[in-house]
Amino acid sequence: MSGPLDASWTGPAAAPARLSGAFPLKLALGARRALAQAFEAECAQRRLFLWLPVVAGAGAVAYLTADREPPVWLLACFALGFCALAVAARGRRLLFIAFCAGAALFAGELSAAWRAARVGAPTLTRTSVATLEGFVEQMDLRRSGARFLLRVERIEGTAPQATPRRVRLTLRRAPPFEAGAYVRLKARLSPPARASLPGGYEFARDAWFAGIGGVGNVLGRVETTAPPAPPGLLLSAAMALDRARNALSRRVDAVVGGDAGAIAAAMVTGKRDLLSEEARETIREAGIFHIITISGVQMTLVAAIFFVGLRRALALVPGLALRWPIKKWAALAAMAGALAYDLSTGSRVGTERALVMTLIMLGAALFDRQALTMRNLAFAALYVVAFEPEAILGASFQLSFAAVAALVAVYEGRMAARAEAFESARALKAEPVRGEAAREVWRALRERLAHGPGGVLFATFCATAATTSFMAAGFHEFSPYVLIGNPLTLTVIEFFAVPGALLGTLLYPLGLDAPVWRFIGLGVDAIMHAARLIGALPGSSVNLPAFAPWALPFLALAVLCATLWRTPAFRLLALPPLVVGLVGAASGPRFDLLVSPGGDALVYREAEGRLVALAGRPNLFSIEQWLRADADGRPPREALRKDFCDRTACVGRLADGRMVSLVLKRAAFAEDCERADVVVTPLFAPSGCAAPLVIDRDVLRVSGALAFRGGTRGIERVAARAPEEDRPWSPAPPRRWGKAQPAPQPTFAPASAEPADAGAAPDWREDGAASREASDGDDGSPLE
């Protein structure tokens, strides 16, 4: 009986074994089948085209972040080669897709390289005081003083081939001139600022693409003289437009007054420098900083006002409405109005994106095609990659495109749901089903909610979710109450700013514009009152530390997968990069010592864990970057320790007890090289300096900004510049004695037992070598 009993017992035991092996296989086959069906659906809806701008943008980013300059001819060969392979593989879909992706990648890289070569201009290589002259190209007025762009004609003592095309200068008093003036002045000029920390904002790169070869501040009197030759037509038009924008901005600010006037002026003209720091912080904490930027909402409203207004006006004439295409006439007028609005507000990256998308939408109306689609956004992205690829690394591009992609995705989903509801209603009429009428009522109710307040909140939530990672990575903060602030901002823009800006601009030449600006001021006052209430709520602004370098690309990929794909199976592909990106966001570097690229300032971590800044002449923008990267929301001046400095040096102690010294004058080397563990200086340190780690001008010109952090393997060193970096905006330093100087090794001797004499001479001065080498007046803040 053992045989039958054995057979009866082994059968059931073997079945689960077979099932346990078959279940994962069936699950894998089912997932593969679902993905294949989703892929076919995406191809049928032509969604793969939307990824071409993404791949081309990745190629542009690869060029902008590379260590060395790639040969342009090689990029062109790769791009043309992949294009030829794609043409040859048109019959094999997967190969065709792969070759198209390769062609787009190298085309984006080639576009960025061509752009860098096209805008190339000489850049200053050292700090100096010089007399220069040229046309004032753009003027940005402030509450006290101004910052302006000078189109340089000549600099005394500088050869014409080494003269920058533009310099950005700061004036500490009210300017006695405006855009279009030809001036002669003395200024202290410096090269554009390098990144203040590894992976931080690179002003030098943005300055290169903007044609800015130097920054600084004006010294003494500015003399207005006659130009040696009249400016070109385009330059004259740009300067006249800037004068008009400043005049209108002053008018709006004078009528409304205060920070409300500055915000109203920014909403009307795009001029944002009149706003106080307190007001900037208020709207930033409320998550509505975009209220002072000209973006897609304003551009769309302007085009809609022109389009709808002219079309309805023409419809009042029956002969025109019945015989002529007034819709297309209105579309042409709206295109002209949108273009004029873009030019009159400064034509920034976000405005250009909105302009391109608006022109595509109106062009679709001209040819009787569907206007609002993701393909229009893809064409706008292709425009940016082709003509301004450097903008991809900027927060303006990232936030603008992410928000619009999310809004368009919501719109497409809403249209798909409406089409599905229409088909269900038609089927119900043809063949009634029990209980279907109640479901139809529920669908209608959901449809009304989707187009009412619920739809606005849901769209705002999606746009906020899409932009959160870029906001957090770029500004190291997050506003949890943005869902409250954004609808309020949209209300002010829709009902106050845009209609008022158009009407007020038309009435401004007649002197009848004051009531309109006061009307806009009422809306701004309301939004500022709400922003103060939101900012007073607990946790209104959450400070976030710097991300790991690889976090943002994965988070961006997650946003792209969630917005560009239509099928649920492919949208689930956003989860893996989202998880990886969140891990990278939570594992960013936390440094214990940061040194500026000029060696004139540093921050170190005390034993209590907070950062302390030491500086010769403080660059508050750099200190703010250091603090924000450490999730420290303090104002820069609170972290600055003046009592640790005398006229020759600043000293402090790291968390592990080692002493760090910032040497400002050569007289301090003799003492601090003996007692300090780390010596940082903007000068050339003497060769006999006995400190275990010496960071001087010779080291920093190779490494750029330096960061150190302790770990289980000792001291880790991170440099802002790659060892062999050589780019147009970051050229390799000149070689000495036939080879580049090596960077110092981050090894320390045992901690010094002697306490630092920090208060020996607490005399804070702003003179000396460090103050001559530091940036004075222009802090290297972003161009946008």
Side-chain angles (χ1 to χ4, degrees), residues 45-71:
Q45 299 179 37
R46 303 169 66 184
R47 305 293 288 188
L48 295 182
F49 168 78
L50 303 178
W51 289 88
L52 282 180
V54 176
V55 179
V61 171
Y63 169 82
L64 294 169
T65 56
D67 296 339
R68 302 185 67 82
E69 194 71 13

Side-chain angles (χ1 to χ4, degrees), residues 285-336:
E285 289 180 354
I288 59 171
F289 195 81
H290 55 279
I291 194 173
I292 61 173
T293 61
I294 307 296
S295 60
V297 175
Q298 291 94 320
M299 182 66 66
T300 304
L301 287 174
V302 167
I305 289 173
F306 278 98
F307 180 76
V308 176
L310 183 59
R311 187 180 181 186
R312 292 192 175 182
L314 293 175
L316 296 176
V317 183
L320 288 177
L322 296 175
R323 299 177 182 176
W324 299 95
I326 61 172
K327 178 181 177 182
K328 298 181 180 181
W329 290 1
L332 288 173
M335 294 171 76

Side-chain angles (χ1 to χ4, degrees), residues 19 58 75 82 84 102 140 192 225 247 266 324 337 354 358 410 419 455 557 590 599 614 755 775:
L19 288 175
L75 297 177
F82 274 103
D140 293 322
T225 63
W324 299 95
T358 302
V410 170
L557 181 60
R590 194 166 186 261
L614 304 177
S775 173

